[in-house]
Amino acid sequence: MATMKDRILQLHRFVVDTVRHLDWLPALLARVTLGVVFCQSGWGKLHNLEKVTAYFTELGLPHPELQAPFVAGTEFVCGWLVLLGLFARVASVPLVVTMLVATITAKADELKHYGDLFGFTEWTYLALAVVVIVHGPGAPSLDALLARVFKLTPSAPGEEKPLTRMLGRGLTAAFAATMVIVSAWWFGASHNPCDQVKDARFAELVKASQGEGDEADEAQGTCKQILGWIKEGKDPAAELKKEEEEEAPSGE
């Protein structure tokens, strides 16, 4: 008579044996998601280069007139390559870089808590691109077809060259070290710019920034302006008053 343990093992085996026939599906979903998103994004940017250039200028990126067409073309071409599964591993690398830059530049202001990062679509696309880089585009891809035609197979663990083994372990160590350093910095550093404002004239502003909601977000944005004025050697109180007067209705 089968024991409870035997039944659990049988159920586990049944589930694993069934689901492993779908091992081609995750890579396909990742590829289609990335490909469609970046094909559309790149195509849209290519047809609105002036707007993209202006946005890159606003973000403070160097040489926006060159970066705009480069990023647009990269997204469009790499998106198609990933979608088709042709040189998908290589094509996913620029997409990772693009999403990293987008997160650092366009999304930095929205990172108020370390958990916010995982809610960004940029992070989701980055994670999917890493899946394609590490695990490949899967069986339903042009890369898999080329591998079958040219009989391309990865080396067995015992036949791996010392150089590739060293590079692989180096990348693993570098990635692990980066995660530790970034995590330590994130938990140790303050991400409220108002914490750097020591002028007593802005005590109420600093207090408001420690709350929640739109008021806190607005206060933190103002503190960033104040820090910028201080860096430029200007009186932040005077600059803030001047800005308020410019925004006030003309009848007041």
Side-chain angles (χ1 to χ4, degrees):
M1 183 176 179
T3 64
M4 180 62 70
K5 179 181 177 181
D6 292 334
R7 291 175 180 175
I8 293 174
L9 291 175
Q10 290 174 3
L11 177 62
H12 175 267
R13 186 176 296 110
F14 173 78
V15 172
V16 172
D17 289 349
T18 302
V19 173
R20 70 182 177 185
H21 291 284
L22 298 175
D23 59 359
W24 53 271
L25 185 58
L28 179 62
L29 291 176
R31 273 181 36 228
V32 170
T33 301
L34 287 173
V36 171
V37 166
F38 282 101
C39 283
Q40 292 179 338
S41 175
W43 184 256
K45 286 184 174 68
L46 287 171
H47 287 76
N48 293 277
L49 286 177
E50 291 184 3
K51 185 176 180 180
V52 177
T53 301
Y55 180 59
F56 283 6
T57 302
E58 183 181 338
L59 292 175
L61 296 178
H63 306 293
E65 70 284 352
L66 298 178
Q67 289 212 47
F70 176 75
V71 170
T74 298
E75 289 187 359
F76 183 69
V77 174
C78 291
W80 270 108
L81 289 175
V82 171
L83 182 61
L84 296 173
L86 180 63
F87 310 121
R89 280 189 163 103
V90 176
S92 296
V93 174
L95 301 183
V96 169
V97 176
T98 300
M99 291 299 97
L100 281 174
V101 173
T103 302
I104 294 171
T105 56
K107 288 290 186 176
D109 292 344
E110 300 179 30
L111 275 172
K112 298 178 178 64
H113 187 270
Y114 69 91
D116 294 340
L117 176 65
F118 301 102
F120 293 163
T121 54
E122 288 81 0
W123 173 261
T124 302
Y125 299 146
L126 187 154
L128 290 175
V130 170
V131 170
V132 175
I133 292 171
V134 176
H135 292 287
S141 66
L142 292 178
D143 281 344
L145 177 61
L146 291 175
R148 288 194 294 270
V149 171
F150 293 103
K151 298 180 180 179
L152 304 174
T153 57
S155 302
E159 300 175 355
E160 185 180 2
K161 293 183 179 179
L163 178 60
T164 58
R165 185 184 301 111
M166 181 180 67
L167 287 175
R169 291 175 178 175
L171 287 172
T172 301
F175 182 72
T178 301
M179 289 183 64
V180 171
I181 293 171
V182 171
S183 298
W185 167 79
W186 185 269
F187 284 103
S190 169
H191 296 278
N192 183 351
C194 291
D195 290 346
Q196 302 177 46
V197 178
K198 306 302 182 182
D199 195 324
R201 294 175 293 178
F202 305 108
E204 290 297 323
L205 185 67
V206 173
K207 184 178 180 181
S209 72
Q210 297 170 352
E212 297 288 341
D214 294 339
E215 184 179 356
D217 292 343
E218 185 177 349
Q220 291 184 23
T222 303
C223 285
K224 286 186 178 181
Q225 289 182 302
I226 291 173
L227 293 173
W229 288 325
I230 293 175
K231 189 175 181 180
E232 294 173 4
K234 299 177 180 179
D235 180 9
E239 294 297 325
L240 190 59
K241 183 177 180 181
K242 186 190 302 181
E243 189 174 88
E244 291 174 350
E245 290 175 349
E246 291 175 354
E247 293 178 355
S250 57
E252 296 184 3

